Amino acid sequence: MPPAPPVAALAGGLPLNLVATVVAVALAMTVAFAVAKVAARHSVIDVTWRAGFAFIAVVTWVLSAGDGDATQRAIVLVMTVLWGLRLASHIERRGRGKGEDPRYEQLTERAPAGRETFHVVTRVDLTQAIVMWFVSLPVRVAQYRRPGYTDYVCRTSGFVPLPPRD
């Protein structure tokens, strides 16, 4: 196992970004909740979850100015935004004109009387917010790439075999 990177490799804006993206995810989910209430459809969250990755990539790109490799930052931004918006638009088109998703109907039916909204928020919205934040970590780390740190994360996670850097 490679040695842990020095603390200096974690310097820069990544720690601030980790906090800022919690706020960004909370904002996106709050807007999604408000839209869902107006539309009377909890399935709005399905579109928001996909578009949320694009939102996180943009927030990270703005916050990472001056950090990381500019080309890598741009590639990560463009790829994530294209993927997130393409998938969000596909999910939105697929559900357009239809009623509530049967999964959410079942979830609200199983909720205690008078607590349907709380039940869906805690079982769906909050869960998806947490998962979105964690799943988007590679997008954020890639934009703050510092010598040693990203390679360490990739090699120890087993996701990408990288040769040692000089």
Side-chain angles (χ1 to χ4, degrees):
M1 183 173 207
V7 175
L10 297 174
L14 183 58
L16 170 63
N17 179 276
L18 298 177
V19 174
T21 51
V22 166
V23 173
V25 168
L27 176 64
M29 294 310 221
T30 301
V31 169
F33 175 75
V35 170
K37 288 298 280 183
V38 170
R41 291 182 57 205
H42 293 289
S43 57
V44 168
I45 195 68
D46 294 336
V47 174
T48 304
W49 196 80
R50 278 94 179 154
F53 287 100
F55 183 51
I56 289 171
V58 170
V59 168
T60 298
W61 184 77
V62 169
L63 292 175
S64 67
D67 272 319
D69 177 73
T71 303
Q72 179 169 310
R73 289 177 55 242
I75 290 169
V76 169
L77 171 70
V78 169
M79 289 177 64
T80 306
V81 168
L82 288 176
W83 172 81
L85 295 181
R86 184 201 64 80
L87 191 53
S89 66
H90 168 74
I91 297 296
E92 190 279 328
R93 279 192 313 271
R94 188 179 74 183
R96 188 181 301 152
K98 297 181 180 174
E100 180 66 277
D101 186 306
R103 298 172 297 163
Y104 300 121
E105 285 179 344
Q106 291 173 355
L107 191 61
T108 55
E109 288 169 4
R110 291 193 313 256
R115 297 182 52 88
E116 294 84 5
T117 298
F118 178 78
H119 195 71
V120 171
V121 166
T122 57
R123 304 287 186 300
V124 177
D125 297 5
L126 183 59
T127 302
Q128 289 201 15
I130 292 167
V131 170
M132 184 191 325
W133 189 86
F134 277 105
V135 169
S136 67
L137 276 170
V139 170
R140 289 178 273 148
V141 169
Q143 293 196 45
Y144 284 94
R145 189 180 198 314
R146 292 221 178 246
Y149 179 65
T150 304
D151 295 344
Y152 173 78
V153 170
C154 290
R155 278 190 260 141
T156 57
S157 68
F159 288 120
V160 180
L162 296 172
R165 291 186 60 122
D166 295 328

